[in-house]
């Protein structure tokens, strides 16, 4: 490890600017940021040709009595985030508490003081980014958010900068590490859903409240951010279709396997010819031969197709202490450079008034649908009738054994359905729910025929 002293020697004749960083939140990611600066701070100074050195001067936490790091200065921690934001020595504010309320106040306060913000908070930016990015423009103070999407993968920078000369045609993402970890542990580890979730929490992948991880919204927030950057308009989360992995069961995973698929929580961002953007997140069957099917555990991937670049895959660790800290620290470096150029902008700059999210009912794929039915003769025919009457083609049907519930007097009945508009499927499934034999809302998976 290179020491700060060694770095200072290298630049003893130049004026290294010591930049005060304030951390609000010192949990999984905050601790990672502290440790990464400790470990690689001098390297960053060298790489900046001695322009800056990062120095964490203040940190806010909820519980100040928790033991966190060795050798922390006694006045480092406070339980009042205002003390961090208003601290004279703090030039950049890093928001790492999560949520959309206090975090919002923190970012607003920092922007109003002209202090650049670094955040990993996708919920905040997807839900309230419109207001925050407007403030950022008004106060000419940037918001950096590489850590908000796909942990340690620099995909925000790629979409903002590297694809500036491309029309982005599509982005397919596995962008929630917790869900992907759970699905893999259910697939290969034979774990039930609650145990797999507990592991993801212990590993620091899940949110403080994992609801958003498993109900699909964490991935959806990330997809919203990617789509806003790619297509230049603010997206209202209410317009986005989202389903999570809570209802995925081992029998779905087994059934998918038998057909040559794996189950993934997939986010789809796709531009259609009329300019509308398909934007959805849901459990999906992906062919075993497609590269995204091999993205396992906490790994994330975003497959981007640009009209000039063709296909590219961004792959890496999508959650966890060190990978996420890597993105936060990269943003800190960028914020340091920007401090020298007053008014430098970073954040989301809308450039299109015309963008529109496609109505989910118009989107089309084949489907896998699992019905929970009462076990009696004629059930398949009853459901098949409803589907046939509405012109929905059946590619196959099956009643798998359920190892989780061998003695139940109702069974699972799965149907593979040919491509049809999602709106039509929804309406037909509503009709099936009126049948006596159907016990609950059917579970729908998309079968994605990814081409690259
Ligand atoms: P975490 O482990 O739960 O840490 C949250 C931290 O915020 C804790 O230190 C907590 O204090 C502090 N805190 C909460 N409310 C506070 C308040 N009102 N005032 C001051 N401090 C407060 O969360 P995390 O996993 O580090 O995630 C932080 C953010 O990064 C979230 O927005 C998350 O979505 C995002 N993110 C996380 C990951 C990941 O892999 N974990 C990856 C990418 C992005 P105490 O320690 O005293 O409880
Ligand atoms: N909870 C998130 C996940 C953290 O599991 O992907 C990274 O954003």
């Amino acid at each position: 490890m290179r020491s700060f002293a060694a770095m200072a020697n290298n630049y003893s004749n130049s004026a290294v600017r010591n930049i005060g960083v304030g951390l609000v939140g010192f949990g999984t990611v905050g601790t990672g940021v502290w440790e990464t600066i400790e470990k690689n701070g001098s390297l960053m100074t060298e790489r900046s040709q001695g322009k800056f050195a990062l120095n964490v001067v203040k940190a806010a936490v909820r519980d100040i009595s928790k033991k966190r790091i060795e050798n922390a200065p006694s006045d480092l921690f406070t339980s009042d985030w205002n003390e961090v934001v208003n601290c004279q020595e703090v030039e950049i504010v890093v928001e790492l508490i999560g949520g959309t309320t206090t975090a919002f106040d923190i970012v607003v306060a920092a922007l109003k003081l002209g202090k650049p913000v670094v955040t990993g908070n996708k919920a905040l930016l997807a839900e309230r980014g419109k207001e925050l990015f407007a403030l950022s423009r008004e106060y000419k103070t940037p918001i950096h958010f590489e850590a908000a999407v796909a942990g340690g993968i620099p995909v925000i920078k790629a979409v903002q900068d590297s694809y500036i000369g491309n029309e982005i045609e599509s982005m397919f993402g596995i962008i929630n590490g917790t869900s992907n970890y759970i699905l893999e542990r259910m697939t290969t580890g034979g774990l039930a859903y609650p145990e797999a979730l507990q592991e993801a929490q212990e590993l620091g992948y899940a949110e403080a409240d994992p609801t958003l991880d498993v109900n699909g919204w964490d991935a959806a927030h990330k997809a919203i951010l990617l789509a806003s950057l790619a297509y230049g308009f603010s997206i209202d989360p209410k317009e986005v279709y989202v389903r999570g992995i809570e209802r995925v069961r081992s029998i779905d995973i087994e059934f998918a396997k038998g057909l040559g698929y794996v189950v993934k929580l997939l986010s789809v961002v796709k531009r259609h010819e009329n300019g509308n953007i398909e934007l959805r997140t849901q459990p999906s069957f992906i062919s075993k031969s497609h590269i995204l099917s091999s993205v396992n555990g906490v790994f994330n991937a975003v497959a981007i197709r640009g009209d000039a670049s063709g296909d590219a895959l961004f792959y890496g660790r999508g959650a966890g202490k060190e990978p996420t800290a890597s993105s936060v620290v990269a943003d800190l470096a960028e914020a340091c450079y920007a401090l020298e150029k007053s008014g430098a902008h970073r954040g989301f700059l809308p450039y299109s008034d015309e963008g529109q999210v496609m109505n989910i009912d118009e989107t089309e794929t084949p489907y896998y649908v699992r019905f929970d039915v009462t076990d009696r003769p004629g059930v398949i025919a009853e459901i098949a009738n409803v589907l046939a009457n509405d012109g929905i083609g059946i590619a196959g049907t099956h009643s798998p054994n359920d190892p989780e519930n061998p003695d139940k007097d109702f069974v699972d009945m799965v149907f593979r359905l040919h491509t049809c508009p999602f709106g039509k499927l929804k309406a037909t499934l509503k009709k099936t729910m009126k049948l006596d034999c159907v016990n609950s809302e059917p579970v729908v998976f998309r079968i994605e025929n990814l081409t690259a």
Side-chain angles (χ1 to χ4, degrees), residues 26-29 61-63 66 68 96 98 120 122 204 207 320 324:
F26 209 94
T28 303
V29 184
V61 290
R62 213 168 7 204
D63 177 0
K66 263 191 215 166
R68 294 171 197 271
L96 293 171
K122 51 271 168 169
E207 300 298 305
T324 312

Side-chain angles (χ1 to χ4, degrees), residues 270-332:
K270 193 169 166 191
R271 187 176 180 277
H272 285 254
E273 269 179 20
N274 62 3
N276 287 353
I277 308 304
E278 184 171 346
L279 184 51
R280 55 187 171 83
T281 292
Q282 68 283 294
S284 306
F285 283 17
I286 297 177
S287 165
K288 273 182 198 160
S289 63
H290 192 273
I291 196 162
L292 285 178
S293 72
S294 325
V295 177
N296 288 321
V298 73
F299 281 83
N300 280 192
V302 184
I304 302 183
R305 179 173 290 174
D307 63 349
S309 66
D311 291 308
L313 184 74
F314 293 80
Y315 171 80
R317 287 182 184 275
K321 185 166 89 169
E322 288 93 354
T324 312
S326 161
S327 290
V328 171
V329 169
D331 275 353
L332 277 170

Side-chain angles (χ1 to χ4, degrees), residues 120 122 147-148 150-151 175-179 205-207 213 218 222 300 318-320 324:
K122 51 271 168 169
I175 45 182
N176 181 263
T178 301
S179 295
Y205 303 154
E207 300 298 305
D213 288 305
D218 178 80
K222 293 166 181 168
N300 280 192
T324 312

Side-chain angles (χ1 to χ4, degrees), residues 5 41 61-62 137 140 160 178 236 243 281 387 436 443:
V61 290
R62 213 168 7 204
R137 291 192 292 280
K140 295 189 168 32
Q160 275 182 323
T178 301
D236 183 347
R243 289 291 179 277
T281 292
L387 293 165
D436 287 349
V443 184

